[in-house]
Amino acid sequence: MGWVSARIVVGLVLAALGVVLVAGCQNGEKKAALPAGTSPQRVVAAYIDAINAHDREAGRRLSTQRFAEQEEKVVDSLFDDAKLSDVEIETPQPEPGYQSPDGKRYREAVNVPVSFTLRHGDESSMPNGPTTWGYILVRASAGQPWRINDAGVG
């Protein structure tokens, strides 16, 4: 192989290596939360995807600070080992007059009913099997993204 050919091969290898390194750096960056126009159902679907991937950071980005901090304290967090299957996300129901447990006021709040089959190792607070659940999503204004602020069945 001549000097020119060797330089071309080395150049191509370095260029390919650069593409791989740039792609790797982008994957390591924090992903942005879903944009403001995302529906409450899609936010809940993304949150359930985060649970199934055991991705606490993604769950935090889809939550209010209050809810994220609350979830950090749960002994048998779904983010540890849970798998939610047979997921059905229903139509959001407005929650007029919703009062956040931390006293914060939000312009809009909706309850998104969800059902799924739960499988996880620690059944301290939620047993395995078919589960009826729901998430309360809030936002300060129509231009703001929906964020999960509460969960449960009541």
Side-chain angles (χ1 to χ4, degrees):
M1 185 178 331
W3 175 250
V4 175
S5 297
R7 287 179 64 183
I8 291 172
V9 169
V10 169
L12 290 172
V13 168
L14 289 174
L17 186 58
V19 169
V20 169
L21 288 174
V22 169
C25 289
Q26 288 174 343
N27 289 339
E29 293 175 0
K30 276 188 171 181
K31 295 179 185 174
L34 297 173
T38 304
S39 71
Q41 297 100 312
R42 181 65 197 113
V43 173
V44 169
Y47 189 78
I48 290 171
D49 289 346
I51 290 171
N52 282 333
H54 314 299
D55 187 347
R56 290 177 192 274
E57 183 59 33
R60 254 186 241 109
R61 289 190 304 269
L62 297 166
S63 303
T64 62
Q65 182 177 348
R66 184 205 77 77
F67 187 70
E69 289 172 359
Q70 174 185 310
E71 289 300 296
E72 294 282 322
K73 297 174 187 172
V74 175
V75 175
D76 62 340
S77 172
L78 295 179
F79 286 98
D80 290 340
D81 66 351
K83 287 293 180 189
L84 284 61
S85 61
D86 307 317
V87 177
E88 292 188 26
I89 301 171
E90 297 181 28
T91 303
Q93 304 299 315
E95 288 283 322
Y98 171 74
Q99 294 183 11
S100 178
D102 63 359
K104 190 169 180 180
R105 295 273 188 206
Y106 294 95
R107 183 169 180 207
E108 295 181 80
V110 294
N111 177 21
V112 180
V114 180
S115 62
F116 50 82
T117 300
L118 173 62
R119 294 281 174 245
H120 65 139
D122 186 348
E123 296 183 67
S124 298
S125 62
M126 289 181 76
N128 284 326
T131 304
T132 300
W133 201 244
Y135 291 97
I136 301 288
L137 282 74
V138 296
R139 63 183 179 179
S141 69
Q144 296 292 314
W146 289 102
R147 293 292 176 254
I148 296 172
N149 193 56
D150 213 347
V153 291

Coordinates of all heavy atoms in Angstrom, one line a residue, residues 20-101:
V20 N -18.4 7.6 16.0 CA -18.8 6.7 17.1 C -18.7 7.5 18.4 O -19.6 7.4 19.3 CB -17.9 5.5 17.1 CG1 -18.1 4.7 18.4 CG2 -18.2 4.6 15.9
L21 N -17.6 8.3 18.6 CA -17.4 9.0 19.8 C -18.5 10.1 20.0 O -19.1 10.3 21.1 CB -16.1 9.7 19.9 CG -14.9 8.7 20.1 CD1 -13.6 9.5 19.9 CD2 -15.0 8.1 21.4
V22 N -18.9 10.8 19.0 CA -19.9 11.8 19.0 C -21.2 11.1 19.4 O -22.0 11.6 20.2 CB -20.0 12.6 17.7 CG1 -21.3 13.5 17.7 CG2 -18.8 13.5 17.6
A23 N -21.6 10.0 18.7 CA -22.8 9.3 19.0 C -22.8 8.9 20.5 O -23.9 9.0 21.1 CB -23.0 8.1 18.1
G24 N -21.7 8.4 21.0 CA -21.7 7.9 22.4 C -21.9 9.1 23.3 O -22.6 8.9 24.3
C25 N -21.3 10.2 23.1 CA -21.5 11.4 23.9 C -23.0 11.8 23.9 O -23.5 12.2 25.0 CB -20.6 12.5 23.5 SG -18.9 12.2 23.8
Q26 N -23.6 11.8 22.8 CA -25.0 12.2 22.7 C -25.9 11.3 23.5 O -26.8 11.7 24.2 CB -25.5 12.3 21.3 CG -24.9 13.4 20.5 CD -25.2 13.4 19.1 OE1 -25.7 12.4 18.5 NE2 -25.0 14.6 18.4
N27 N -25.6 10.0 23.5 CA -26.4 9.0 24.3 C -26.2 9.2 25.8 O -27.1 8.9 26.6 CB -26.1 7.6 23.9 CG -26.6 7.2 22.6 OD1 -27.5 7.9 22.0 ND2 -25.9 6.2 21.9
G28 N -25.1 9.8 26.2 CA -24.8 10.0 27.6 C -25.4 11.3 28.1 O -25.5 11.5 29.3
E29 N -25.8 12.1 27.3 CA -26.4 13.4 27.7 C -27.8 13.2 28.3 O -28.5 12.2 27.9 CB -26.6 14.4 26.5 CG -25.3 14.8 25.9 CD -25.4 15.7 24.7 OE1 -26.6 15.9 24.3 OE2 -24.4 16.1 24.1
K30 N -28.2 14.1 29.2 CA -29.6 14.0 29.7 C -30.6 14.2 28.6 O -30.5 15.1 27.8 CB -29.8 15.1 30.8 CG -29.3 14.7 32.1 CD -29.8 15.8 33.1 CE -29.5 15.4 34.5 NZ -30.0 16.4 35.4
K31 N -31.6 13.4 28.6 CA -32.7 13.5 27.6 C -33.6 14.6 28.2 O -33.9 14.6 29.4 CB -33.4 12.2 27.4 CG -32.6 11.2 26.7 CD -33.4 9.9 26.6 CE -32.5 8.8 26.0 NZ -33.3 7.5 26.0
A32 N -34.2 15.4 27.3 CA -35.2 16.4 27.7 C -36.5 15.7 28.0 O -36.8 14.6 27.5 CB -35.4 17.4 26.6
A33 N -37.2 16.3 28.9 CA -38.6 15.7 29.2 C -39.4 16.0 28.0 O -39.1 16.7 27.1 CB -39.2 16.5 30.4
L34 N -40.6 15.4 28.0 CA -41.5 15.5 26.8 C -41.9 17.0 26.7 O -42.0 17.7 27.7 CB -42.7 14.6 27.0 CG -42.4 13.1 27.0 CD1 -43.7 12.4 27.4 CD2 -41.8 12.7 25.7
P35 N -42.1 17.5 25.5 CA -42.5 18.9 25.3 C -43.9 19.2 25.8 O -44.7 18.4 26.1 CB -42.4 19.1 23.8 CG -42.5 17.7 23.2 CD -42.0 16.7 24.2
A36 N -44.1 20.5 25.9 CA -45.3 21.1 26.5 C -46.6 20.6 25.8 O -47.6 20.4 26.5 CB -45.3 22.6 26.5
G37 N -46.6 20.3 24.5 CA -47.8 19.9 23.8 C -48.1 18.4 24.0 O -49.1 17.9 23.4
T38 N -47.3 17.7 24.7 CA -47.5 16.2 24.9 C -48.8 16.0 25.8 O -49.0 16.6 26.8 CB -46.3 15.6 25.6 OG1 -45.2 15.9 24.8 CG2 -46.5 14.1 25.7
S39 N -49.6 15.1 25.3 CA -50.9 14.8 26.0 C -50.6 14.1 27.4 O -49.6 13.5 27.6 CB -51.8 13.8 25.2 OG -51.2 12.5 25.2
P40 N -51.5 14.2 28.3 CA -51.4 13.5 29.6 C -51.2 12.0 29.5 O -50.4 11.4 30.2 CB -52.7 13.9 30.4 CG -53.1 15.2 29.8 CD -52.7 15.1 28.3
Q41 N -51.9 11.4 28.5 CA -51.8 10.0 28.3 C -50.4 9.6 27.9 O -49.8 8.6 28.3 CB -52.8 9.5 27.2 CG -54.2 9.6 27.6 CD -54.8 10.8 26.9 OE1 -54.2 11.9 26.9 NE2 -56.0 10.7 26.3
R42 N -49.8 10.4 27.0 CA -48.4 10.1 26.5 C -47.4 10.3 27.7 O -46.4 9.6 27.7 CB -48.1 11.0 25.3 CG -46.7 10.8 24.8 CD -46.6 9.4 24.1 NE -45.2 9.1 24.0 CZ -44.5 8.1 24.6 NH1 -45.2 7.3 25.5 NH2 -43.3 8.0 24.4
V43 N -47.6 11.3 28.5 CA -46.8 11.5 29.7 C -46.8 10.2 30.6 O -45.8 9.7 31.0 CB -47.1 12.8 30.5 CG1 -46.3 12.8 31.8 CG2 -46.9 14.0 29.6
V44 N -48.0 9.7 30.8 CA -48.2 8.5 31.7 C -47.5 7.3 31.0 O -46.8 6.5 31.6 CB -49.7 8.3 32.0 CG1 -49.9 6.9 32.6 CG2 -50.2 9.3 32.9
A45 N -47.7 7.2 29.7 CA -47.1 6.1 28.9 C -45.6 6.2 29.1 O -44.9 5.1 29.3 CB -47.5 6.1 27.5
A46 N -45.0 7.4 28.9 CA -43.5 7.5 29.1 C -43.1 7.2 30.5 O -42.0 6.6 30.7 CB -43.1 9.0 28.7
Y47 N -43.9 7.6 31.5 CA -43.6 7.3 32.9 C -43.6 5.7 33.1 O -42.6 5.2 33.7 CB -44.5 7.9 33.8 CG -44.1 7.9 35.3 CD1 -43.2 8.7 35.8 CD2 -44.8 7.0 36.1 CE1 -42.8 8.7 37.1 CE2 -44.4 6.9 37.5 CZ -43.4 7.8 38.0 OH -43.0 7.7 39.3
I48 N -44.5 5.1 32.6 CA -44.6 3.6 32.7 C -43.4 3.0 31.9 O -42.8 2.0 32.4 CB -46.0 3.1 32.2 CG1 -47.0 3.5 33.2 CG2 -45.9 1.6 32.0 CD1 -48.5 3.2 32.8
D49 N -43.1 3.5 30.8 CA -41.9 3.0 30.1 C -40.6 3.2 31.0 O -39.8 2.3 31.0 CB -41.7 3.8 28.8 CG -42.7 3.4 27.7 OD1 -43.4 2.4 27.8 OD2 -42.8 4.2 26.7
A50 N -40.5 4.3 31.7 CA -39.4 4.6 32.6 C -39.4 3.5 33.7 O -38.3 3.0 34.1 CB -39.5 6.0 33.1
I51 N -40.6 3.2 34.2 CA -40.6 2.2 35.3 C -40.1 0.9 34.7 O -39.3 0.2 35.4 CB -42.1 2.0 35.8 CG1 -42.5 3.3 36.6 CG2 -42.2 0.8 36.7 CD1 -43.9 3.3 37.0
N52 N -40.6 0.5 33.6 CA -40.2 -0.8 33.0 C -38.7 -0.8 32.7 O -38.1 -1.9 32.7 CB -41.0 -1.1 31.8 CG -42.4 -1.6 32.2 OD1 -42.6 -2.2 33.2 ND2 -43.4 -1.4 31.3
A53 N -38.1 0.3 32.4 CA -36.7 0.4 32.1 C -35.9 0.6 33.4 O -34.6 0.7 33.3 CB -36.4 1.5 31.1
H54 N -36.5 0.8 34.5 CA -35.9 1.1 35.8 C -35.1 2.4 35.7 O -34.0 2.5 36.3 CB -35.0 -0.1 36.2 CG -35.7 -1.4 36.1 ND1 -36.9 -1.7 36.8 CD2 -35.5 -2.5 35.4 CE1 -37.3 -2.9 36.5 NE2 -36.5 -3.4 35.6
D55 N -35.6 3.3 35.0 CA -34.9 4.6 34.7 C -35.5 5.7 35.6 O -36.4 6.4 35.2 CB -35.1 4.9 33.2 CG -34.3 6.2 32.8 OD1 -33.8 6.9 33.7 OD2 -34.2 6.4 31.6
R56 N -35.0 5.8 36.8 CA -35.5 6.8 37.8 C -35.3 8.2 37.2 O -36.2 9.1 37.5 CB -34.7 6.7 39.1 CG -35.0 5.5 39.9 CD -34.1 5.4 41.1 NE -34.2 4.1 41.7 CZ -35.1 3.8 42.6 NH1 -36.1 4.6 43.0 NH2 -35.1 2.6 43.2
E57 N -34.3 8.5 36.5 CA -34.0 9.9 36.0 C -35.1 10.3 35.0 O -35.6 11.4 35.1 CB -32.6 10.0 35.4 CG -32.3 11.4 34.9 CD -32.4 12.4 35.9 OE1 -32.0 12.2 37.1 OE2 -32.7 13.6 35.6
A58 N -35.5 9.4 34.1 CA -36.6 9.7 33.2 C -37.9 9.9 34.0 O -38.7 10.8 33.7 CB -36.8 8.5 32.2
G59 N -38.1 9.1 35.0 CA -39.3 9.3 35.9 C -39.3 10.6 36.5 O -40.4 11.3 36.6
R60 N -38.2 11.1 37.0 CA -38.0 12.4 37.6 C -38.4 13.5 36.7 O -39.0 14.5 37.0 CB -36.6 12.6 38.1 CG -36.4 12.5 39.6 CD -35.0 12.8 40.0 NE -34.5 11.6 40.7 CZ -33.5 10.8 40.2 NH1 -32.9 11.1 39.0 NH2 -33.2 9.8 40.8
R61 N -37.9 13.4 35.4 CA -38.2 14.4 34.4 C -39.7 14.5 34.1 O -40.1 15.6 33.6 CB -37.4 14.2 33.2 CG -35.9 14.4 33.3 CD -35.1 14.4 32.0 NE -35.3 13.1 31.3 CZ -34.5 12.0 31.3 NH1 -33.5 12.0 32.2 NH2 -34.8 11.0 30.6
L62 N -40.4 13.5 34.3 CA -41.9 13.5 34.0 C -42.7 13.9 35.2 O -43.9 13.9 35.1 CB -42.3 12.1 33.4 CG -41.6 11.7 32.1 CD1 -41.7 10.3 31.8 CD2 -42.1 12.6 31.0
S63 N -42.1 14.2 36.3 CA -42.8 14.4 37.6 C -42.5 15.8 38.1 O -41.6 16.5 37.7 CB -42.3 13.4 38.6 OG -42.4 12.1 38.2
T64 N -43.4 16.3 39.0 CA -43.2 17.5 39.7 C -42.1 17.2 40.7 O -41.8 16.0 41.0 CB -44.4 18.0 40.4 OG1 -44.8 17.0 41.4 CG2 -45.5 18.3 39.5
Q65 N -41.4 18.2 41.2 CA -40.4 18.0 42.2 C -41.0 17.2 43.4 O -40.3 16.3 44.0 CB -39.8 19.3 42.6 CG -38.6 19.1 43.6 CD -38.0 20.4 44.0 OE1 -38.2 21.4 43.4 NE2 -37.1 20.3 45.0
R66 N -42.2 17.6 43.9 CA -42.8 17.0 45.0 C -43.0 15.5 44.8 O -42.6 14.7 45.7 CB -44.1 17.6 45.3 CG -44.8 17.1 46.6 CD -46.3 17.3 46.5 NE -47.0 16.3 45.7 CZ -47.2 15.0 46.1 NH1 -46.8 14.5 47.2 NH2 -47.8 14.2 45.2
F67 N -43.5 15.1 43.7 CA -43.8 13.7 43.4 C -42.5 12.9 43.2 O -42.3 11.8 43.8 CB -44.6 13.5 42.1 CG -45.1 12.1 41.9 CD1 -46.0 11.5 42.8 CD2 -44.6 11.4 40.9 CE1 -46.4 10.2 42.5 CE2 -45.0 10.1 40.6 CZ -45.9 9.5 41.5
A68 N -41.5 13.5 42.6 CA -40.2 12.8 42.4 C -39.6 12.6 43.8 O -39.0 11.5 44.0 CB -39.3 13.7 41.5
E69 N -39.6 13.6 44.7 CA -39.0 13.4 46.0 C -39.8 12.3 46.8 O -39.2 11.5 47.5 CB -39.0 14.7 46.7 CG -38.0 15.7 46.2 CD -38.1 17.1 46.8 OE1 -39.0 17.3 47.6 OE2 -37.2 17.9 46.4
Q70 N -41.1 12.3 46.6 CA -41.9 11.3 47.3 C -41.6 9.9 46.8 O -41.4 9.0 47.6 CB -43.4 11.6 47.0 CG -44.4 10.5 47.6 CD -45.8 10.8 47.1 OE1 -46.3 11.9 47.3 NE2 -46.4 9.8 46.5
E71 N -41.4 9.7 45.5 CA -41.1 8.4 44.9 C -39.7 8.0 45.3 O -39.4 6.8 45.4 CB -41.2 8.5 43.4 CG -42.6 8.6 42.9 CD -43.5 7.4 43.4 OE1 -43.2 6.3 43.0 OE2 -44.4 7.6 44.2
E72 N -38.8 8.9 45.6 CA -37.4 8.5 46.0 C -37.5 7.8 47.4 O -36.6 7.0 47.7 CB -36.5 9.8 46.2 CG -36.3 10.5 44.8 CD -35.2 9.8 44.0 OE1 -34.2 9.3 44.6 OE2 -35.4 9.7 42.8
K73 N -38.5 8.1 48.2 CA -38.5 7.6 49.6 C -39.3 6.3 49.7 O -39.3 5.7 50.7 CB -39.2 8.6 50.5 CG -38.5 9.9 50.6 CD -39.2 11.0 51.4 CE -38.5 12.3 51.3 NZ -39.3 13.4 51.9
V74 N -39.9 5.8 48.6 CA -40.7 4.6 48.6 C -39.8 3.4 48.8 O -38.8 3.2 48.0 CB -41.6 4.5 47.3 CG1 -42.3 3.2 47.3 CG2 -42.5 5.6 47.2
V75 N -40.1 2.6 49.8 CA -39.3 1.4 50.1 C -39.3 0.4 49.0 O -38.2 -0.1 48.6 CB -39.7 0.7 51.4 CG1 -38.9 -0.5 51.7 CG2 -39.6 1.7 52.6
D76 N -40.4 0.1 48.4 CA -40.6 -0.8 47.3 C -40.9 -0.1 46.0 O -41.8 -0.5 45.3 CB -41.6 -1.9 47.7 CG -43.0 -1.3 47.8 OD1 -43.1 -0.1 48.1 OD2 -44.0 -2.1 47.7
S77 N -40.0 0.8 45.6 CA -40.2 1.6 44.4 C -40.4 0.7 43.2 O -39.7 -0.3 43.0 CB -39.0 2.5 44.2 OG -39.1 3.1 42.9
L78 N -41.3 1.1 42.4 CA -41.5 0.4 41.1 C -40.3 0.5 40.2 O -40.1 -0.4 39.4 CB -42.8 0.9 40.4 CG -44.1 0.7 41.1 CD1 -45.3 1.3 40.3 CD2 -44.3 -0.8 41.4
F79 N -39.5 1.5 40.4 CA -38.3 1.6 39.6 C -37.2 0.6 39.9 O -36.3 0.4 39.1 CB -37.7 3.0 39.7 CG -38.5 4.1 39.0 CD1 -39.4 4.9 39.7 CD2 -38.4 4.3 37.6 CE1 -40.2 5.8 39.1 CE2 -39.2 5.2 37.0 CZ -40.1 6.0 37.7
D80 N -37.4 -0.1 41.0 CA -36.4 -1.1 41.4 C -36.4 -2.3 40.5 O -35.4 -2.7 40.0 CB -36.6 -1.5 42.9 CG -36.2 -0.4 43.8 OD1 -35.5 0.5 43.5 OD2 -36.7 -0.5 45.0
D81 N -37.6 -3.0 40.4 CA -37.6 -4.2 39.6 C -39.0 -4.5 39.0 O -39.2 -5.6 38.5 CB -37.2 -5.4 40.5 CG -38.2 -5.7 41.6 OD1 -39.2 -4.8 41.8 OD2 -38.1 -6.7 42.3
A82 N -39.9 -3.6 39.0 CA -41.2 -3.8 38.5 C -41.3 -3.9 37.0 O -40.5 -3.3 36.2 CB -42.2 -2.7 38.9
K83 N -42.2 -4.7 36.5 CA -42.6 -4.8 35.1 C -44.1 -4.6 35.1 O -44.8 -5.4 35.7 CB -42.2 -6.1 34.5 CG -40.7 -6.3 34.3 CD -40.3 -5.3 33.2 CE -38.8 -5.4 33.0 NZ -38.2 -4.4 32.1
L84 N -44.6 -3.6 34.3 CA -46.0 -3.4 34.1 C -46.3 -3.9 32.7 O -45.7 -3.4 31.7 CB -46.3 -1.9 34.3 CG -46.4 -1.4 35.7 CD1 -45.1 -1.5 36.4 CD2 -46.8 0.1 35.7
S85 N -47.3 -4.8 32.6 CA -47.7 -5.3 31.3 C -49.2 -5.1 31.2 O -49.9 -4.7 32.1 CB -47.3 -6.7 31.1 OG -47.9 -7.5 32.1
D86 N -49.8 -5.4 30.0 CA -51.2 -5.2 29.8 C -51.7 -3.9 30.1 O -52.8 -3.7 30.7 CB -52.0 -6.3 30.5 CG -51.5 -7.7 30.2 OD1 -51.2 -8.0 29.0 OD2 -51.4 -8.5 31.2
V87 N -50.9 -2.9 29.8 CA -51.2 -1.5 30.2 C -52.3 -0.9 29.4 O -52.3 -1.0 28.2 CB -49.9 -0.6 30.1 CG1 -50.2 0.9 30.4 CG2 -48.8 -1.1 31.0
E88 N -53.3 -0.3 30.1 CA -54.4 0.4 29.4 C -54.5 1.8 30.1 O -54.7 1.9 31.3 CB -55.7 -0.3 29.6 CG -55.7 -1.6 28.8 CD -57.1 -2.3 28.7 OE1 -58.1 -1.6 28.9 OE2 -57.1 -3.5 28.6
I89 N -54.3 2.8 29.3 CA -54.3 4.2 29.7 C -55.6 4.8 29.2 O -55.9 4.9 28.0 CB -53.1 5.0 29.2 CG1 -51.8 4.3 29.8 CG2 -53.2 6.4 29.7 CD1 -50.6 4.8 29.2
E90 N -56.4 5.3 30.1 CA -57.8 5.8 29.8 C -57.7 7.3 29.5 O -56.7 8.0 29.7 CB -58.8 5.5 30.9 CG -58.9 4.0 31.0 CD -60.0 3.6 32.1 OE1 -60.9 4.4 32.3 OE2 -59.8 2.5 32.6
T91 N -58.8 7.9 29.1 CA -59.0 9.3 28.9 C -58.9 10.1 30.1 O -59.5 9.7 31.2 CB -60.4 9.5 28.2 OG1 -60.5 8.7 27.1 CG2 -60.5 11.0 27.9
P92 N -58.1 11.2 30.1 CA -57.9 12.0 31.3 C -59.3 12.6 31.7 O -60.1 13.0 30.9 CB -57.0 13.1 30.9 CG -56.3 12.6 29.7 CD -57.3 11.6 29.0
Q93 N -59.5 12.7 33.0 CA -60.7 13.3 33.6 C -60.2 14.6 34.3 O -59.3 14.5 35.2 CB -61.3 12.3 34.6 CG -61.7 11.0 34.0 CD -62.7 11.1 32.9 OE1 -63.7 11.8 32.9 NE2 -62.4 10.4 31.8
P94 N -60.9 15.7 34.0 CA -60.5 17.0 34.7 C -60.7 16.8 36.2 O -61.6 16.1 36.7 CB -61.5 18.0 34.1 CG -62.0 17.4 32.9 CD -61.9 15.9 33.0
E95 N -59.8 17.5 37.0 CA -59.8 17.5 38.4 C -60.0 18.9 38.9 O -59.1 19.5 39.4 CB -58.6 16.9 39.0 CG -58.4 15.4 38.9 CD -59.3 14.6 39.9 OE1 -59.4 15.0 41.0 OE2 -59.8 13.6 39.4
P96 N -61.2 19.5 38.7 CA -61.4 20.9 39.1 C -61.2 21.0 40.6 O -61.6 20.2 41.4 CB -62.9 21.2 38.7 CG -63.5 19.8 38.5 CD -62.5 18.8 38.2
G97 N -60.6 22.1 41.0 CA -60.3 22.3 42.4 C -59.3 21.4 43.1 O -59.2 21.3 44.3
Y98 N -58.5 20.8 42.2 CA -57.5 19.9 42.8 C -56.5 20.6 43.7 O -56.1 21.7 43.4 CB -56.6 19.3 41.6 CG -55.4 18.5 42.1 CD1 -55.5 17.3 42.7 CD2 -54.1 19.0 41.9 CE1 -54.4 16.6 43.1 CE2 -53.0 18.4 42.4 CZ -53.1 17.1 42.9 OH -52.0 16.4 43.4
Q99 N -56.3 20.0 44.9 CA -55.4 20.6 45.8 C -54.2 19.7 46.0 O -54.3 18.6 46.5 CB -56.1 20.8 47.2 CG -57.2 21.9 47.1 CD -57.8 22.1 48.4 OE1 -57.3 21.7 49.5 NE2 -58.9 22.9 48.4
S100 N -53.0 20.2 45.6 CA -51.8 19.4 45.7 C -51.5 19.1 47.2 O -51.7 19.9 48.0 CB -50.6 20.1 45.0 OG -49.4 19.4 45.2
P101 N -51.0 17.9 47.5 CA -50.6 17.6 48.9 C -49.6 18.6 49.5 O -49.6 18.7 50.7 CB -50.0 16.2 48.8 CG -50.7 15.6 47.6 CD -50.8 16.7 46.6

